Amino acid sequence: MSIKFACACGKAYKVPDKLSGKRVKCKRCGEPVRVPSESQAGLTSARASAVSKRSVLASQRLSKSGRSGRSRRTSARLSGRKQRATSGTQRVKAVDLSEGNQLKRYKSKKEEEFRRGEARLTYFENGKPVKAFRVSKKGATIGRSERCGVTIPDDSVSSEHVKIEYKLGTFISTDLQSANGLVVNGRVVRRCSLKNDDIIQLGQAILRFNC
């Protein structure tokens, strides 16, 4: 058995019980200390204190690293959301072509006669017609690429934006999964039939369809 006790200077000791009642010299302060008959309550050895202190410091470091890891993950998620939001805002806003606003000014002033299965696309810039394209029964692809039958030199237009086909006596326009979509007469559509004087918007480019 052993007896645990402490000097008045705070130095803790653990000695055999046979030294009970005897005096021992404190290694820290040099004063003689009488060994009690039994261990004093609430004493913690220096080694146990050091171990306890190290464990507390280690837990604090783990906690900080955990928080920093979580903060890094959170910042990464926020950065990803910000990038997605930024990429979403890059989508071109459609021009307002409502009937009471600008739609009427793109209408043709007089009726023209076309053969069955023939049509024409008129490209506008700043509200003025600048170029016309013929569309036959074979149809046409509209886009920014020179490979398209109808080439529109506008950055808001996709390389291959819209396909126009002639089926069962009707011209049909289909969005080719473009970046800025297909708008016909102010309405966003994926696929629709075209009739005379329809106004087609591709990004910021505006065309009039006549058949």
Side-chain angles (χ1 to χ4, degrees):
M1 296 292 293
S2 59
I3 299 175
K4 297 178 183 179
F5 66 99
C7 177
C9 67
K11 175 71 174 177
Y13 291 94
K14 181 179 179 182
V15 298
D17 56 356
K18 64 182 180 179
L19 296 179
S20 175
K22 296 184 179 181
R23 292 180 178 272
V24 294
K25 187 177 181 180
C26 179
K27 295 180 181 180
R28 177 183 293 177
C29 63
E31 294 294 328
V33 182
R34 185 182 293 276
V35 178
S37 58
E38 57 184 17
S39 297
Q40 296 178 359
L43 290 180
T44 305
S45 65
R47 183 171 180 273
S49 298
V51 171
S52 177
K53 186 176 181 179
R54 283 197 300 270
S55 64
V56 170
L57 292 175
S59 64
Q60 289 177 350
R61 285 195 295 269
L62 287 173
S63 177
K64 288 180 180 179
S65 64
R67 285 197 297 270
S68 62
R70 287 194 297 272
S71 63
R72 284 195 296 271
R73 290 193 294 271
T74 303
S75 61
R77 286 196 297 270
L78 291 175
S79 176
R81 291 175 185 172
K82 186 176 180 180
Q83 290 177 358
R84 288 193 295 273
T86 303
S87 62
T89 56
Q90 290 174 354
R91 186 179 178 90
V92 176
K93 186 178 180 180
V95 177
D96 185 7
L97 294 177
S98 60
E99 192 71 29
N101 190 18
Q102 302 183 56
L103 190 61
K104 288 183 178 180
R105 72 173 180 169
Y106 292 105
K107 300 286 186 180
S108 56
K109 294 182 180 179
K110 61 179 181 179
E111 293 291 334
E112 297 184 42
E113 293 184 1
F114 292 87
R115 292 182 180 179
R116 188 174 181 84
E118 290 185 353
R120 183 178 66 201
L121 284 167
T122 305
Y123 173 50
F124 287 80
E125 282 185 357
N126 300 321
K128 297 180 180 180
V130 294
K131 194 171 183 180
F133 304 88
R134 292 183 61 185
V135 182
S136 65
K137 290 182 179 181
K138 295 180 181 180
T141 301
I142 309 173
R144 194 176 67 252
S145 174
E146 294 181 356
R147 298 191 303 270
C148 298
V150 179
T151 303
I152 306 298
D154 191 301
D155 291 338
S156 64
V157 178
S158 299
S159 298
E160 293 184 354
H161 203 116
V162 171
K163 184 177 181 179
I164 295 180
E165 301 171 287
Y166 185 74
K167 293 183 177 180
L168 300 175
T170 304
F171 283 97
I172 299 174
S173 61
T174 305
D175 184 11
L176 299 177
Q177 297 182 347
S178 60
N180 292 308
L182 169 63
V183 180
V184 178
N185 295 332
R187 291 175 53 248
V188 179
V189 295
R190 191 191 70 82
R191 180 183 175 91
C192 74
S193 59
L194 297 173
K195 59 184 182 299
N196 188 56
D197 259 5
D198 277 350
I199 305 302
I200 302 172
Q201 182 182 346
L202 314 177
Q204 294 294 321
I206 297 175
L207 302 99
R208 184 180 67 212
F209 179 81
N210 292 108
C211 62

